[in-house]
Amino acid sequence: MSYLATKRARDFRRSRWQFIAVFVTIVLGVIMFGASYDSYQNLNVSYNGTYDRLHFADMTVTGADNGFADTATSIPGVEIAEARTQADIPFSVGDTVLLGRIVTMPADGQPQVNQIDVTDGSYLAPDDPTGVLVETHMAEQFKLAVGDTFDIATGAGWTTVTVRGIAVSPEYLWPARSRQDFFSLPGTFGVAFVSADAVAAVAPEATTNQVVMLYDDGVDRQAVDSAVTDAANSANAADIMTQADQPSNAGLNLDLMGFEQMAVAFPILFLLAAGMAAFILLTRIVYTQRSQIGTLRASGMSRGKLAWHYLSYGLILGVAAAVIGTILGIAAGWAITGTYTGELGIPDTIRELRWSTAIVGVLFGIVTGALAALAPALAVFRSSPAEAMRGEVPTTGGRRSLVETVLPTLRRLPVRWLMVLRGVGRNKLRSLSTMLGVVLALTLVLAAWGMIDTVQILLDRQFNQIDLSDSTVLMDRPVDASEVDAVAAVDGVAVAEPVITLPATAKSDGQSYGTQLQAYVSGTQVRGFSTDGGGLPADGVIAGVSLRDEIGVDVGDTVTIEFSTLETSVTAPIRGFIEEPMGTVLYMNRDALISALEAADPSVPGTVLQNPTVTTVAAVFADGVDRSAVMESIHGVDGVISVIDSREIYDLVQQYMGLFYAFVGIMIAFGGAMAFALIFNTISVNVAERSTEYATMRANGLSNRRIAGLITGENVLLVSLGIIPGLIVGYLAAAWMMSTYSSDMMKFNLEMRPSTLVFAAIAMIIVALLSVIPGIRTVRRLNIVEVVRERAM
């Protein structure tokens, strides 16, 4: 082994903990890149694999005129257009009644668009009109198997159907009823695929006609979308939905967006921190070895060879960390992919070994190590033998700190505290690096912690300030005043109100947005509205704020609201916008809606809106009651077929957030590890550089305790100076991260608790205090005689 190789090995061994800290930080950064990027790519391929195999629709048009399928087929770029019928009607499975959905399919073979994957049993058959296929999420929830039966509601009453098979549908990989009803409580929503005969007897106001389309390969999707939209609007379509807007697909894409962002933003933070830590460490090594460098240069060693020697420190560190981080990152990405697809029931789990991930991961580590070592190596290259052999001779005198200049009264502090203040400015590069490390650590921690705060606060707002109902009651008969009074009369029910919910499409100037309209009684107590008056206007509509951008409208504009199930439309002015965490819904006063529909062309009488598939009863319970007992009593009311607990929906959403919380928790833990590694490295270098100074203090009688106080005070002060800018940058980063998740389905503007900022700042102080412990122990173990002798040489 050459002299320089031996020297490098000894340097690694001598500063092993600092090198390990840098190594771990680079490994974590590369792991985060590999895991998040591979998860993003694998999930994207898995979703698209299922979509391609089952011919997922590129466009779905609802409520267009009869014959629109033929019109769509004639549009250039549209390969296939198929008509089908969909209806949301009650299902009765065992003791449970739910509002389910039936979708028609050809009985003699799979459709060409939106095929299904029959995982158990067999497909529909022409000679079995009451045989159905049950979507897998519903089958799992109710433990349905081939041969089991359940009932569906038709105009003629309950009809018994038999499960012919269990199926996976590309439309319900995530079982969302609509973009506005994204989270459905297990047992309250299910999908069955049926033949056309099963829909024939369903009440017309519950059914909608749809046309689903596939495009030709390689077409300009945006151009075809535009052409189909124009044709659909001309055919009076109630809803026009691209593949990207399809509820299940849009929901799954939110996860993909999260992984895509984590694949770039978070690894860069780690690698920046690792690069700074390596730079500080290598600069310190070069600084303390100036005499050796001068001797080697004077002995004839070339500048290039010596510079390459110090550059190799960063390269070796970066390559080793990158290789290990890449292997672990790819393995973690594969594990995350399997966890997600298994949890969501995605039939195609595709894990691919991408050389691009490995190459970029390794390059990340190599570039980080090389850039960190470049400046110290160039310093060696530029130094002259005489200058290097001079050693650690200070070239400037002491000076007052900036704080003392701003606050002159601080000059009267004891000398030991003046040493702390002035120590911060002695090595400005090291001090700035420490502060920047704190900023990076807080950015990572707050970006992750802000996600948790936002989700928790907004979900609490959605279910405790906006949706004030405790339960939703479904009836088997028209819901009129007597039905509402019967629910209100139940002991423990404080308020009962009828609520109208209709599929609706808002249109303005050729733009349309499919949503739902909810109508409440004047002065409703089951829904909270953040309007000026705290309630609904007497006329017109209020809408989710995203509608402003979706169709380009503002307060005072008039929108056309089409109802596909009622086959009519009304016009109404927009009276205001409200910002809700979930969905972009239209709201109207119930009496105003009834009057508008009665005056519409064609007219819809108010009695139609009493249909149980349109109107439900929302109930608010009295404080302190036994919720289960109250709901059981409501079940006993004549005509009630189902009671949905709103609190269980809240619990369901929290459950769905379990994986989200787990990943964000990992980000917070990684941020803490990064902060510790960086601050530990900086403090260790600080102590090592000033070992002679500390040894001299001890030789002059300064106690270990007093020296420990100086070390702690100086480094805690440095960390404190980085906290304020770190909190600002971290908050802005968290706001940016949350804004990328916001859409018309979920409005996730950052909501961060003040306590989070306080706890994050305290956490950085605790990390600083823990990080100085090794440095203090090093000072206590200093051999005063040896250090002073080295200084005198």
Side-chain angles (χ1 to χ4, degrees):
M1 181 181 293
S2 68
Y3 166 75
L4 290 180
T6 302
K7 175 182 173 299
R8 182 171 54 230
R10 289 175 178 173
D11 285 341
F12 275 131
R13 186 166 58 252
R14 186 181 299 113
S15 301
R16 57 187 175 277
W17 293 114
Q18 291 88 348
F19 278 113
I20 288 174
V22 175
F23 174 83
V24 169
T25 310
I26 296 177
V27 168
L28 289 177
V30 176
I31 285 176
M32 290 190 66
F33 166 74
S36 51
Y37 182 75
D38 254 22
S39 298
Y40 163 69
Q41 292 290 355
N42 286 335
L43 288 173
N44 194 32
V45 171
S46 297
Y47 297 161
N48 287 325
T50 299
Y51 293 158
D52 291 342
R53 182 168 60 86
L54 299 179
H55 304 293
F56 185 35
D58 292 299
M59 177 72 84
T60 301
V61 174
T62 301
D65 296 338
N66 292 333
F68 179 70
D70 294 333
T71 301
T73 305
S74 66
I75 297 173
V78 175
E79 179 184 4
I80 302 168
E82 288 186 329
R84 69 178 190 181
T85 304
Q86 178 176 291
D88 286 358
I89 58 175
F91 290 1
S92 178
V93 186
D95 296 329
T96 303
V97 177
L98 63 146
L99 187 60
R101 173 172 294 169
I102 56 175
V103 180
T104 60
M105 304 194 97
D108 56 355
Q110 288 262 16
Q112 297 183 76
V113 186
N114 287 341
Q115 296 179 357
I116 55 176
D117 186 358
V118 181
T119 58
D120 189 21
S122 57
Y123 186 73
L124 301 174
D127 58 354
D128 185 11
T130 60
V132 302
L133 300 171
V134 177
E135 197 273 328
T136 183
H137 291 91
M138 177 180 170
E140 291 176 1
Q141 174 64 30
F142 293 103
K143 303 296 188 288
L144 290 173
V146 175
D148 291 345
T149 61
F150 63 95
D151 296 331
I152 63 174
T154 66
W158 290 103
T159 299
T160 300
V161 295
T162 303
V163 178
R164 287 184 57 86
I166 311 300
V168 174
S169 167
E171 297 178 90
Y172 300 100
L173 297 181
W174 177 273
R177 187 190 300 274
S178 67
R179 291 180 68 86
Q180 318 310 324
D181 194 2
F182 188 67
F183 291 101
S184 298
L185 187 66
T188 65
F189 177 65
V191 179
F193 303 96
V194 303
S195 63
D197 292 340
V199 180
V202 174
E205 60 268 22
T207 63
T208 56
N209 296 319
Q210 291 183 328
V211 174
V212 290
M213 287 162 256
L214 279 182
Y215 293 168
D216 292 321
D217 293 336
V219 297
D220 182 341
R221 297 182 65 88
Q222 188 173 1
V224 180
D225 284 347
S226 178
V228 172
T229 299
D230 291 342
N233 282 325
S234 298
N236 303 308
D239 187 29
I240 305 164
M241 183 170 61
T242 64
Q243 186 183 92
D245 290 334
Q246 201 274 338
S248 171
N249 185 38
L252 295 177
N253 275 324
L254 289 177
D255 281 332
L256 292 181
M257 288 169 54
F259 283 117
E260 187 178 22
Q261 290 159 3
M262 285 192 293
V264 178
F266 288 165
I268 286 177
L269 291 177
F270 272 91
L271 296 174
L272 278 174
M276 286 196 324
F279 167 77
I280 294 168
L281 175 58
L282 295 174
T283 300
R284 171 251 170 179
I285 290 175
V286 170
Y287 179 76
T288 57
Q289 293 179 2
R290 287 166 61 93
S291 297
Q292 299 175 36
I293 294 168
T295 302
L296 291 171
R297 288 282 294 112
S299 300
M301 185 171 288
S302 68
R303 290 182 175 183
K305 186 173 183 180
L306 203 53
W308 174 256
H309 165 72
Y310 286 100
L311 184 63
S312 68
Y313 285 61
L315 289 174
I316 292 172
L317 199 63
V319 170
V323 170
I324 294 176
T326 298
I327 294 172
L328 295 177
I330 291 174
W334 283 28
I336 292 171
T337 301
T339 300
Y340 255 76
T341 56
E343 185 75 17
L344 299 178
I346 308 299
D348 299 289
T349 301
I350 300 175
R351 301 182 181 95
E352 296 179 348
L353 180 60
R354 295 176 180 81
W355 288 109
S356 59
T357 304
I359 292 171
V360 173
V362 171
L363 285 176
F364 270 170
I366 293 174
V367 170
T368 299
L371 290 179
L374 183 61
L378 289 176
V380 172
F381 183 84
R382 289 192 296 263
S383 65
S384 66
E387 179 186 0
M389 292 178 70
R390 185 177 62 195
E392 303 177 30
V393 179
T395 58
T396 60
R399 64 181 64 180
R400 293 191 179 110
S401 65
L402 177 62
V403 179
E404 292 175 75
T405 304
V406 176
L407 300 173
T409 56
L410 295 179
R411 299 172 192 171
R412 294 193 291 271
L413 287 173
V415 172
R416 61 181 180 274
W417 298 120
L418 288 177
M419 290 175 64
V420 169
L421 291 176
R422 295 178 182 181
V424 170
R426 288 178 61 181
N427 189 325
K428 295 181 176 60
L429 182 60
R430 184 178 61 237
S431 297
L432 288 173
S433 298
T434 303
M435 293 167 60
L436 183 56
V438 174
V439 171
L440 291 175
L442 280 171
T443 298
L444 182 63
V445 170
L446 290 179
W449 210 333
M451 292 182 185
I452 292 180
D453 274 2
T454 299
V455 170
Q456 291 180 340
I457 291 172
L458 293 184
L459 290 182
D460 177 74
R461 183 177 301 162
Q462 178 71 34
F463 291 100
N464 293 314
Q465 299 177 34
I466 296 174
D467 184 0
L468 304 177
S469 65
D470 288 290
S471 68
T472 299
V473 183
L474 304 181
M475 314 287 285
D476 66 356
R477 61 194 63 182
V479 180
D480 56 21
S482 62
E483 312 303 324
V484 177
D485 291 341
V487 174
V490 172
D491 188 27
V493 174
V495 177
E497 296 176 3
V499 177
I500 298 172
T501 302
L502 288 166
T505 300
K507 292 188 173 184
S508 177
D509 293 332
Q511 301 294 316
S512 64
Y513 179 75
T515 179
Q516 62 180 218
L517 183 143
Q518 297 177 4
Y520 295 86
V521 299
S522 180
T524 177
Q525 299 179 61
V526 302
R527 190 84 179 181
F529 295 100
S530 56
T531 57
D532 292 338
L536 289 169
D539 66 341
V541 299
I542 59 175
V545 68
S546 293
L547 189 70
R548 177 187 282 124
D549 296 326
E550 292 290 335
I551 61 174
V553 292
D554 211 334
V555 176
D557 292 345
T558 298
V559 295
T560 299
I561 306 171
E562 295 189 353
F563 302 99
S564 58
T565 56
L566 303 180
E567 298 184 344
T568 193
S569 64
V570 300
T571 58
I574 296 178
R575 298 303 186 194
F577 293 101
I578 55 175
E579 189 166 305
E580 296 182 336
M582 300 174 65
T584 301
V585 180
L586 304 176
Y587 299 100
M588 283 188 74
N589 180 286
R590 182 172 179 271
D591 292 338
L593 174 64
I594 293 173
S595 298
L597 287 173
E598 287 178 343
D601 184 19
S603 175
V604 176
T607 53
V608 171
L609 299 183
Q610 295 175 357
N611 188 300
T613 61
V614 175
T615 297
T616 57
V617 180
V620 177
F621 300 163
D623 294 337
V625 298
D626 183 334
R627 297 178 60 85
S628 299
V630 175
M631 285 190 290
E632 187 64 28
S633 298
I634 296 176
H635 267 294
V637 173
D638 190 30
V640 171
I641 59 175
S642 180
V643 182
I644 300 171
D645 187 346
S646 300
R647 299 303 96 181
E648 288 187 11
I649 299 178
Y650 185 25
D651 294 339
L652 170 70
V653 176
Q654 295 282 29
Q655 177 184 335
Y656 281 146
M657 291 295 174
L659 284 175
F660 169 80
Y661 290 144
F663 287 125
V664 173
I666 292 173
M667 297 303 103
I668 293 175
F670 278 13
M674 182 183 77
F676 179 84
L678 183 61
I679 297 172
F680 164 76
N681 234 11
T682 305
I683 292 174
S684 298
V685 169
N686 186 10
V687 171
E689 284 184 4
R690 300 171 65 181
S691 59
T692 302
E693 180 181 333
Y694 293 137
T696 303
M697 291 179 185
R698 286 182 57 191
N700 289 330
L702 206 64
S703 67
N704 284 328
R705 181 175 181 181
R706 187 63 58 81
I707 293 174
L710 293 175
I711 295 173
T712 302
E714 180 178 330
N715 289 286
V716 169
L717 177 59
L718 275 175
V719 170
S720 300
L721 291 174
I723 284 177
I724 297 301
L727 293 177
I728 295 172
V729 174
Y731 185 90
L732 294 175
W736 173 78
M737 288 290 292
M738 293 312 306
S739 69
T740 60
Y741 282 94
S742 291
S743 67
D744 62 301
M745 297 170 62
M746 295 184 182
K747 203 69 176 175
F748 278 173
N749 294 328
L750 179 66
E751 297 275 354
M752 188 178 290
R753 298 183 178 97
S755 59
T756 295
L757 299 174
V758 175
F759 289 146
I762 292 173
M764 291 299 105
I765 299 295
I766 292 174
V767 167
L769 292 173
L770 293 175
S771 299
V772 300
I773 294 175
I776 292 172
R777 293 177 61 187
T778 299
V779 171
R780 287 179 177 174
R781 292 195 298 265
L782 285 175
N783 187 319
I784 299 175
V785 176
E786 182 180 332
V787 173
V788 174
R789 185 189 306 119
E790 289 178 357
R791 173 66 175 166
M793 292 176 61

